[in-house]
Amino acid sequence: MRLSTVILPIHRWSEGQKIWQRAEELGFHAAYTYDHLTWRSFQNDPWFGAVPTLTAAACATERLRLGTLVTSPNFRHPVTLAKELMTLDDISGGRITVGIGVGGTGFDATAFGQEPWTPRERADRFDEFLPLLDKLLTQDETTDEGRFFSAIEARNIPGCVQRPRVPFYVAATGPRGLKLAAKYGQGWVTYGDPRGPGDVPVDQAPAVIEAQLGKLRAACEAEGRDFGGIQKMLLQGSTVEQPLASLDAFVDWAGTYRDLGIDEVVVHWPVPDSIFENDLSVFEQIATEGLAQLG
């Protein structure tokens, strides 16, 4: 099992740089950031762009993998996103993972002046967005005309450092998203029950993930994909579970999901006076000792 963290893009770089470097010092497998224009309770607080933040983090670190959790079509277009990801992969020396999903109904969904898309409309767009992004990142030149997204002689030369492209970790729980994860994903991402993960009782939370893993397995079988060949990631922070309360709490939590088949768990870097408030000293102890305690 791997342990990674999410560092929110809320810090001016003079301070943020220290956090990304500390994440590498602590031995995290990867550090991700949210790709939003702003987010929930942080809407009136500082919030910086994901791609520039990751670019700066790539220059400030050497070994740490970096990525988005998650990028979506809400305010992205595959043509421009592909160019940014190719460049970011080059700057980082091949350390980029792209967490990607359909997007939600928050601030990103209306920032361009549009009405929020329905779940079906988001899924329809993602059905085009992900395959086109795959083409753009694996071909020197792409022409593809779609209902929502098109590329006309779009060029991405020299391509990604990672071959055939940067890995996609697809966030999905429904049948259409899971099919895309099975077809295009090097990894799969879940944060729990999408209908309201914070309301799921602690003792029922593992069963939710176990059921989702069963659906992912079925999707992989339908695509002729080896279920064991796709990485499974659990993003913590949207459930009532509290794995950062203590080292023992983390070990119990991580061990439960490791036994279910989760390969990578992701915890949020503590943010004071927020839903991600946790004791930094406990967090750092978990980072350095947590996985070793799993045995």
Side-chain angles (χ1 to χ4, degrees):
M1 173 173 273
R2 297 180 298 277
L3 175 60
S4 299
T5 188
V6 168
I7 300 172
L8 298 185
I10 58 175
H11 307 280
R12 290 194 179 277
W13 190 242
S14 57
E15 183 63 27
Q17 174 177 269
K18 301 172 187 176
I19 298 174
W20 289 85
Q21 291 174 330
R22 183 60 177 156
E24 182 166 78
E25 291 171 358
L26 290 170
F28 281 107
H29 166 69
Y32 304 96
T33 199
Y34 285 174
D35 188 17
H36 294 297
L37 297 174
T38 187
W39 191 72
R40 298 187 185 179
S41 59
F42 295 88
Q43 63 173 309
N44 295 317
D45 296 324
W47 189 277
F48 294 94
V51 172
T53 296
L54 291 170
T55 303
C59 294
T61 58
E62 297 179 354
R63 303 173 306 278
L64 187 70
R65 285 200 67 83
L66 308 163
T68 56
L69 276 182
V70 296
T71 292
S72 82
N74 266 359
F75 64 96
R76 295 290 188 188
H77 190 285
V79 170
T80 51
L81 178 60
K83 184 69 73 174
E84 291 178 345
L85 293 175
M86 182 192 73
T87 306
L88 184 53
D89 196 46
D90 181 71
I91 291 170
S92 69
R95 291 186 285 136
I96 298 303
T97 297
V98 184
I100 191 165
V102 298
T105 57
F107 306 106
D108 298 346
T110 57
F112 289 174
Q114 77 274 30
E115 291 297 317
W117 299 324
T118 66
R120 166 168 262 177
E121 288 172 329
R122 293 200 302 273
D124 288 343
R125 282 165 171 78
F126 198 50
D127 274 343
E128 281 192 15
F129 188 93
L130 192 60
L132 179 53
L133 186 63
D134 174 71
K135 291 178 182 178
L136 288 159
L137 288 170
T138 54
Q139 302 175 170
D140 287 348
E141 180 182 322
T142 299
T143 293
D144 191 305
E145 296 191 47
R147 179 183 171 195
F148 304 108
F149 303 104
S150 296
I152 307 300
E153 298 183 1
R155 289 167 172 79
N156 276 301
I157 301 171
C160 297
V161 173
Q162 300 175 88
R163 293 294 182 171
R165 57 158 166 74
V166 292
F168 292 167
Y169 275 45
V170 182
T173 55
R176 295 174 69 181
L178 289 169
K179 180 178 180 179
L180 290 170
K183 186 171 183 178
Y184 294 100
Q186 284 64 55
W188 166 77
V189 183
T190 182
Y191 61 86
D193 192 327
R195 296 170 298 179
D199 299 325
V200 176
V202 170
D203 61 344
Q204 295 178 23
V208 172
I209 304 302
E210 186 174 22
Q212 291 175 352
L213 285 165
K215 294 176 181 178
L216 177 64
R217 180 186 293 275
C220 286
E221 291 174 352
E223 287 294 322
R225 176 79 181 275
D226 176 15
F227 176 70
I230 187 169
Q231 299 297 300
K232 295 91 177 173
M233 176 193 290
L234 173 61
L235 171 62
Q236 190 277 332
S238 298
T239 72
V240 291
E241 297 168 296
Q242 298 295 325
L244 299 183
S246 68
L247 178 60
D248 288 343
F250 172 82
V251 171
D252 288 344
W253 174 79
T256 295
Y257 290 104
R258 178 196 62 182
D259 293 346
L260 289 178
I262 295 295
D263 303 298
E264 181 177 352
V265 288
V266 185
V267 294
H268 289 83
W269 196 278
V271 179
D273 302 319
S274 78
I275 61 172
F276 301 125
E277 182 168 20
N278 281 289
D279 188 309
L280 184 58
S281 63
V282 173
F283 178 83
E284 294 200 347
Q285 182 186 25
I286 288 168
T288 55
E289 301 178 29
L291 292 186
Q293 294 289 326
L294 285 176

